Amino acid sequence: SVLDKLTESELFTVAVEGAIGGNAYQHSRVNQWTNNVVEQCLSQLSKLGKPFKYIVTCIIMQKNGAGLQTACSCFWDNTTDGSCTVRWENKSMYCIVSVFGLAI
Amino acid sequence: MEIVYVYTKKRSEFGRQCNFSDRPAELHVDILPDPSLAANFIDRDPCDVPIQCTQEMSEHEVNTERIEYETCGINHVEGGWPKDINPQEMEQTIRFRKKVEKDENYVNTIMQLGSHMEHCIRQNNAIDIYQEYFEEEEVVEETEEQPSAKTINVFRDPNEVKRTATSLSWHPDGSRKLAVAYSSLEFQKVTKDMSYDSYIWDIENPNKPEMTLKPVSPLVCLEYNSKDSHILVGGSYNGQIAYWDTRKGSQPVEMSTIEHSHRDPVYKVIWLQSKTGTDFFSASTDGQVLWWDIRKMSEPTERLVLDPTKEGKLENALGAISLEFETTMPTKFMVGTEQGLVVSCNRKAKTPAEKIVCTYSGHHGPIYALQRNPFFPKNFLTVADWTARIWSEDIRESSIMWTKYHTASLSDGCWSPVRPSVFFTVKMDGTLDVWDFLFKQNDPTLSLKVCDEALYSIRVQDNGRFLACGSQLGTTTLLEISSGLCTLQKNEKALAAMMFERETKREKILEARHREMRLKERSRSEQSKEDEAKEGEGEESSEELVARIEKEFYEMIETEMKNRGKDEKKEKELDKVRNGDG
């Protein structure tokens, strides 16, 4: 299952590209964008049809010289659960999507 | 977002133990700060941020319905006391009251009356029976009153030797003054001591004229300038034209030179509509129509000879006796001639031949009055010989409407400026006729004998209510006509328009038929001439024809006289009966 996650990073990049690709950062639309990204990813995941609980988070940050560090730590069953983080950027913003999958 | 996932799980796997293990923190994203990117952005300085910390409130306006208060009183008059009681005397009234109160029926009647009275009072307070309903609709009541006219004032010629009042002109602003031209039109009746003066009367003061105008020769016609009410122009008996300024006195300001004026009395002058307001034109029986400008009276600006053969020869010219000009149609004008023809002319034509457009024939004598209907300018009124006729511009052969032949000849007439179907005529026997052809067509609506001598001129004021007529002995009478004759009735314009159209159509059809018949006659007569020559049987010769016509004419006159004799006898008998009774 962890292997599956890694391969699915492609899926997420496509989803993000579809949601916000080609746009410049606009504060008024960021809310809408994060919602779209998360929804797209989640719908793609549920299409896989695996018995997993999913958690998807999305961060969109404007490229204006600031730095960003995120980390996470988990207490789970390593054999059955896993996570994946995808980083996407264009000229004006960064988009970081993290997906956690927990076996039922 | 609706995502549904259905999964299956083996029963044996329920409640499976979870093997927890701790995964240490993992750095997911590490983006280093890059100040160069900040160069893409500009600081916004200053930032306007409106902040308000108040309670949200709403605003409403309410206004109650207005109640109007009115105080009313009741007028209570004391009365009803019997004859022997004096209401002023306290004792008597008290005694009477006590007596009545002791009466058996007193209480019952009071009770009954009380309830009635209460009802009436309540009604009175509830409904105002004098309230005007339908106030907005101004219903013009059709007056059933008889048309009538009454004399307001009479202005007599102050001179010993009386002259005829040949022309009248109302003052243009408010019509408070009337200018009257006096002259004697009878051939060789002018005596040495006859004065040449004409007068301007103030209608309030019939005793003395307000101003005298002293021309060189008596004035036959006189007109106020509608643009400048101080200027009057007059045409005189010797053919000259003069103009006056009332501010400058009784002498004319300037006169036209004798060489360039008319050769006969100037019968009509009309002011033209121009930017300067100083142009007018005049007509005279010498056959010319001349245009003048006040500023240069030495010579006319234009000349037209009324030659129906269109050659401009004075010998053939028709004498002009009246003019017509309507300011709404400034290029056209009409001239009424002594010979009974109305000539319609175009002012803007290049050659004199083209100036005369057409003629209308039908009258037997000089056309004394000529006027277009102020509401329907295509139709005009002519007054001549013993009839008044209404014409349509399109029909040249005959008039579309005409009055019967009167016993006295008509001398002047005009349309009412407020009602399209009303016009006035005056006759040589001193009567004024008011015609309303929507009401009655055979007879005048109102016929009034103004004076014993002949009436020569009539003019209506612009409000249509007052009119002045001038007589042979110089007496000008100012009359007021009843309101029914000078208020526009409902639909009158439409009805008059329909009537004119109908009559015009009728005349057109008749004209067409006549033409057809004439053509037939001509072809037939050509044939019959050949037959006659062969047979030699002639119809009545011309002398026999004349004798027959004479006999018929005399017979007609005799029957007319007999009828009149019968009428007079009847009148006498009626008078006897009346006197016998009284």
Side-chain angles (χ1 to χ4, degrees):
Chain A
S1 53
V2 175
L3 283 164
D4 288 336
K5 289 302 167 310
L6 286 173
T7 51
E8 266 125 57
S9 65
E10 296 296 315
L11 206 75
F12 303 134
T13 332
V14 167
V16 170
E17 185 72 36
I20 59 172
N23 289 332
Y25 180 84
Q26 273 172 284
H27 179 72
S28 52
R29 297 181 68 184
V30 164
N31 260 342
Q32 198 190 359
W33 284 337
T34 45
N35 278 341
N36 286 349
V37 166
V38 165
E39 271 179 33
Q40 289 267 34
C41 292
L42 214 46
S43 50
Q44 299 283 22
L45 284 168
S46 61
K47 275 193 203 149
L48 295 173
K50 302 271 172 60
F52 278 89
K53 293 180 182 167
Y54 296 107
I55 297 168
V56 181
T57 64
C58 170
I59 300 173
I60 298 184
M61 189 180 93
Q62 186 182 28
K63 264 189 184 174
N64 56 5
L68 174 68
Q69 281 81 25
T70 65
C72 82
S73 145
C74 321
F75 183 65
W76 55 25
D77 186 343
N78 264 329
T79 48
T80 52
D81 307 323
S83 73
C84 164
T85 309
V86 176
R87 182 174 139 172
W88 178 93
E89 67 183 87
N90 74 2
K91 252 186 86 179
S92 58
M93 56 187 170
Y94 299 104
C95 181
I96 297 122
V97 179
S98 311
V99 183
F100 301 88
L102 309 159
I104 297 171
Chain B
M1 181 175 81
E2 203 170 295
I3 298 177
V4 178
Y5 174 58
V6 181
Y7 67 97
T8 51
K9 190 170 170 182
K10 274 194 191 163
R11 199 62 168 71
S12 55
E13 286 181 359
F14 271 109
R16 188 168 58 160
Q17 194 183 28
C18 195
N19 302 331
F20 285 113
S21 55
D22 190 10
R23 193 186 83 170
E26 225 178 82
L27 187 67
H28 284 288
V29 176
D30 184 8
I31 301 172
L32 294 168
D34 185 2
S36 66
L37 288 174
N40 292 337
F41 298 91
I42 304 172
D43 272 344
R44 197 196 271 177
D45 185 10
C47 271
D48 284 315
V49 178
I51 303 174
Q52 175 139 301
C53 186
T54 50
Q55 280 176 314
E56 265 187 45
M57 297 199 271
S58 72
E59 188 180 312
H60 290 281
E61 263 182 36
V62 170
N63 201 10
T64 52
E65 274 182 39
R66 300 189 87 221
I67 305 277
E68 280 191 17
Y69 293 101
E70 210 180 277
T71 40
C72 319
I74 303 178
N75 190 18
H76 180 219
V77 174
E78 189 154 353
W81 296 105
K83 272 191 197 161
D84 47 343
I85 307 244
N86 183 0
Q88 315 293 348
E89 289 272 332
M90 276 280 285
E91 279 182 35
Q92 291 185 3
T93 54
I94 291 174
R95 219 188 303 155
F96 183 73
R97 278 213 193 101
K98 285 207 181 127
K99 198 176 95 184
V100 171
E101 276 166 23
K102 286 190 189 141
D103 191 14
E104 293 171 351
N105 292 331
Y106 178 68
V107 180
N108 291 341
T109 22
I110 289 287
M111 293 295 285
Q112 262 190 344
L113 288 176
S115 58
H116 278 302
M117 205 174 83
E118 203 184 322
H119 174 72
C120 287
I121 291 180
R122 283 232 183 109
Q123 218 175 36
N124 195 30
N125 288 343
I127 307 171
D128 180 6
I129 58 174
Y130 295 109
Q131 182 187 22
E132 185 113 25
Y133 297 105
F134 311 121
E135 215 177 74
E136 312 84 39
E137 295 175 27
E138 282 211 20
V139 182
V140 176
E141 283 161 24
E142 288 182 13
T143 42
E144 300 285 346
E145 59 175 78
Q146 289 278 10
S148 62
K150 55 179 185 188
T151 318
I152 308 277
N153 249 332
V154 177
F155 307 95
R156 292 182 209 282
D157 187 1
N159 304 80
E160 280 282 330
V161 182
K162 309 282 180 200
R163 305 144 306 152
T164 317
T166 45
S167 173
L168 307 159
S169 173
W170 285 98
H171 187 101
D173 297 321
S175 310
R176 300 232 60 86
K177 296 196 231 183
L178 180 64
V180 188
Y182 294 93
S183 59
S184 175
L185 288 175
E186 284 171 62
F187 189 58
Q188 294 189 339
K189 275 268 176 86
V190 183
T191 56
K192 282 209 194 115
D193 48 352
M194 198 169 89
S195 130
Y196 292 165
D197 297 340
S198 291
Y199 302 108
I200 297 183
W201 297 87
D202 182 340
I203 54 175
E204 311 274 300
N205 180 10
N207 300 319
K208 199 165 96 72
E210 199 195 333
M211 193 167 156
T212 317
L213 301 171
K214 295 185 191 293
V216 162
S217 154
L219 288 177
V220 180
C221 60
L222 189 53
E223 275 292 325
Y224 264 104
N225 183 347
S226 47
K227 291 215 176 118
D228 181 359
S229 54
H230 297 284
I231 309 267
L232 297 115
V233 73
S236 51
Y237 195 70
N238 68 354
Q240 277 182 299
I241 316 249
Y243 88 94
W244 279 265
D245 188 332
T246 48
R247 298 166 287 203
K248 293 198 184 146
S250 310
Q251 295 293 333
V253 176
E254 211 185 325
M255 297 200 61
S256 60
T257 49
I258 295 237
E259 303 87 30
H260 294 114
S261 310
H262 290 280
R263 310 254 157 83
D264 258 4
V266 181
Y267 279 95
K268 189 93 180 166
V269 208
I270 300 190
W271 287 94
L272 288 169
Q273 193 83 306
S274 71
K275 281 184 257 184
T276 50
T278 53
D279 296 309
F280 62 91
F281 64 140
S282 61
S284 155
T285 37
D286 66 353
Q288 293 177 81
V289 177
L290 299 174
W291 279 264
W292 306 83
D293 186 331
I294 285 197
R295 300 167 290 189
K296 185 169 165 246
M297 293 287 283
S298 52
E299 190 171 57
T301 54
E302 223 184 301
R303 177 196 298 267
L304 168 68
V305 177
L306 284 172
D307 182 5
T309 58
K310 303 203 182 173
E311 283 169 28
K313 289 204 186 135
L314 256 180
E315 302 88 61
N316 302 343
L318 308 162
I321 219 175
S322 55
L323 276 180
E324 187 282 329
F325 177 73
E326 180 77 37
T327 48
T328 49
M329 299 200 274
T331 53
K332 292 201 273 195
F333 66 94
M334 293 201 285
V335 186
T337 60
E338 242 182 334
Q339 285 75 4
L341 286 173
V342 177
V343 185
S344 165
C345 308
N346 181 350
R347 206 172 154 211
K348 293 283 174 201
K350 307 281 178 195
T351 62
E354 282 171 32
K355 281 216 165 151
I356 298 180
V357 173
C358 60
T359 60
Y360 301 88
S361 58
H363 272 296
H364 310 290
I367 303 203
Y368 291 112
L370 178 57
Q371 195 190 6
R372 284 187 199 262
N373 187 323
F375 292 85
F376 301 100
K378 279 215 143 187
N379 298 298
F380 57 93
L381 168 74
T382 54
V383 171
D385 53 56
W386 299 273
T387 59
R389 286 173 191 269
I390 299 181
W391 305 71
S392 161
E393 257 187 358
D394 311 319
I395 313 274
R396 308 217 172 129
E397 310 280 306
S398 78
S399 51
I400 59 173
M401 292 160 79
W402 55 91
T403 65
K404 62 174 188 218
Y405 278 85
H406 297 98
T407 40
S409 53
L410 274 72
S411 48
D412 199 0
C414 57
W415 287 102
S416 162
V418 289
R419 285 192 60 183
S421 64
V422 172
F423 64 93
F424 307 91
T425 54
V426 285
K427 304 218 276 280
M428 297 294 265
D429 61 356
T431 45
L432 160 74
D433 289 329
V434 181
W435 298 79
D436 179 359
F437 59 73
L438 285 180
F439 179 67
K440 219 198 299 191
Q441 289 208 6
N442 294 329
D443 287 308
T445 309
L446 176 64
S447 184
L448 200 69
K449 190 146 172 70
V450 174
C451 50
D452 290 322
E453 63 271 12
L455 284 173
Y456 267 95
S457 52
I458 176 170
R459 261 311 177 92
V460 188
Q461 247 190 39
D462 287 328
N463 59 16
R465 205 179 170 101
F466 291 94
L467 51 95
C469 35
S471 77
Q472 198 176 10
L473 293 182
T475 314
T476 311
T477 318
L478 176 64
L479 294 134
E480 180 184 351
I481 50 174
S482 58
S483 54
L485 287 170
C486 56
T487 36
L488 197 63
Q489 309 284 341
K490 292 193 278 197
N491 288 343
E492 191 176 328
K493 260 192 174 178
L495 286 171
M498 275 179 359
M499 164 138 321
F500 282 136
E501 259 184 61
R502 209 172 51 218
E503 301 298 324
T504 317
K505 223 167 84 172
R506 191 199 77 209
E507 279 304 318
K508 268 204 203 136
I509 295 175
L510 280 175
E511 227 186 281
R513 270 293 343 259
H514 275 157
R515 232 176 285 153
E516 272 180 46
M517 283 171 64
R518 253 180 277 150
L519 278 174
K520 268 196 214 156
E521 273 295 317
R522 229 179 279 162
S523 54
R524 211 186 301 157
S525 73
E526 278 178 11
Q527 270 199 335
S528 70
K529 258 191 219 164
E530 295 175 8
D531 295 340
E532 260 190 31
K534 290 183 198 163
E535 291 184 11
E537 213 182 81
E539 294 173 330
E540 301 177 334
S541 67
S542 48
E543 290 122 2
E544 285 175 32
L545 198 62
V546 167
R548 183 167 63 89
I549 292 176
E550 256 190 43
K551 213 175 80 173
E552 279 179 21
F553 178 66
Y554 283 125
E555 275 172 21
M556 250 202 299
I557 293 197
E558 267 174 63
T559 41
E560 184 68 33
M561 297 284 286
K562 265 192 222 157
N563 285 343
R564 254 202 234 157
K566 271 195 220 152
D567 285 341
E568 280 179 7
K569 264 195 212 162
K570 269 198 210 156
E571 280 276 331
K572 280 191 195 154
E573 280 176 26
L574 276 173
D575 280 341
K576 269 193 210 161
V577 171
R578 272 190 226 133
N579 291 338
D581 282 342

